[in-house]
Amino acid sequence: MQVSVYIAVSLDGFIAREDGGLDWLPGSDPNTEVDNGNNDDHGYVAFMETVDVLVMGRNSYEAVLSFGDWAYGDKPVVVLSSSLKRLPAELPATVSLRDVSPAELVAELARNGARRLYIDGGHTIRRFLRAGLITDMTIFRVPVLLGQGIPLFGALEADIPLVHLETRAYPDGMVESRYQVQSGRDEGAGSQPESGQ
Ligand SMILES: NC(=O)c1ccc[n+]([C@@H]2O[C@H](COP(=O)([O-])OP(=O)(O)OC[C@H]3O[C@@H](n4cnc5c(N)ncnc54)[C@H](OP(=O)(O)O)[C@@H]3O)[C@@H](O)[C@H]2O)c1
């Protein structure tokens, strides 16, 4: 089982402004995109084709909903939340709501045949990382300093060693780096106790 992170982050480590703003992401302004002739999706569609289940935290889910049309078609999506009680009826039946630990979820999805999960949302990624479940990370560094915002990474009980696999620079200034997580497991359930946020 691959449990992957695939995310864009400001050079100073934020995945959104404090109010959730994503206007700093390349492509967030359609006019700028046309001006630059930059229609490169940075490999997103190809990555999504390798993903069996997208797992996202409640905050990311609410951000996606606020964009309007559901962006993931019939791709299986698990929304993690301990506060939401139900999802809107108009969402595809492939979207489900769960309140389980990362280890339980990974084990369950592996039993159901999933081979690659895409974990999204800063808080959620940190929980999966601390549980020793993330196997690989693709990080897109956006050439901007935001100064403050919602962080990607946070405190850890121990270092998580990474193996650098590849780095690629795009004409729009994005730098994509792929890492393998050395402590990440590839057979499902978590190996380390979780703690905190
Ligand atoms: N730059 C990018 O590429 C990128 C990508 C994704 C998201 N974002 C942005 O990042 C922001 C969201 O990130 P975030 O760090 O605030 O939060 P998040 O990880 O999206 O969501 C956190 C919430 O998920 C729920 N959750 C996580 N793990 C859980 C578990 N195991 N069991 C039950 N519930 C669980 C909890 O919801 P409850 O409080 O309901 O329990 C928690 O408060 C948004 O603004 C989004 O637009 C940016």
Side-chain angles (χ1 to χ4, degrees):
M1 167 76 97
Q2 255 185 299
V3 183
S4 305
V5 169
Y6 186 96
I7 198 159
V9 63
S10 67
L11 190 57
D12 50 352
F14 301 109
I15 58 170
R17 295 190 191 279
E18 274 187 298
D19 64 0
L22 297 171
D23 54 295
W24 50 279
L25 286 176
S28 63
D29 177 354
N31 297 320
T32 309
E33 216 175 352
V34 170
D35 288 345
N36 291 343
N38 174 18
N39 294 316
D40 192 342
D41 78 344
H42 306 94
Y44 176 76
V45 170
F47 167 74
M48 283 302 277
E49 282 170 3
T50 71
V51 169
D52 297 311
V53 184
L54 167 54
V55 177
M56 64 171 68
R58 194 246 314 157
N59 295 346
S60 294
Y61 158 77
E62 287 177 346
V64 170
L65 273 193
S66 74
F67 301 151
D69 291 342
W70 184 245
Y72 302 107
D74 289 333
K75 173 79 67 184
V77 175
V78 173
V79 177
L80 284 172
S81 174
S82 56
S83 62
L84 287 179
K85 297 303 167 218
R86 67 184 66 83
L87 298 174
E90 58 270 25
L91 285 183
T94 44
V95 187
S96 59
L97 181 62
R98 302 300 309 277
D99 178 10
V100 290
S101 74
E104 286 173 292
L105 183 67
V106 170
E108 178 188 313
L109 294 175
R111 276 198 304 275
N112 292 341
R115 302 190 51 139
R116 189 174 202 184
L117 310 183
Y118 165 18
I119 311 300
D120 211 13
H123 172 108
T124 304
I125 289 168
R126 293 194 295 279
R127 278 193 71 172
F128 277 74
L129 271 173
R130 281 197 304 267
L133 293 163
I134 299 293
T135 58
D136 59 279
M137 299 197 291
T138 302
I139 309 288
F140 291 86
R141 272 167 291 149
V142 180
V144 63
L145 299 172
L146 297 178
Q148 55 195 346
I150 297 172
L152 173 54
F153 298 119
L156 292 169
E157 288 175 358
D159 294 352
I160 297 178
L162 308 174
V163 178
H164 174 249
L165 299 177
E166 185 182 18
T167 287
R168 175 177 174 192
Y170 290 86
D172 61 5
M174 283 249 262
V175 177
E176 171 186 2
S177 293
R178 290 196 303 117
Y179 300 92
Q180 191 177 324
V181 180
Q182 273 195 339
S183 57
R185 297 176 46 162
D186 60 6
E187 74 267 35
S191 54
Q192 298 169 13
E194 286 184 66
S195 65
Q197 296 288 300

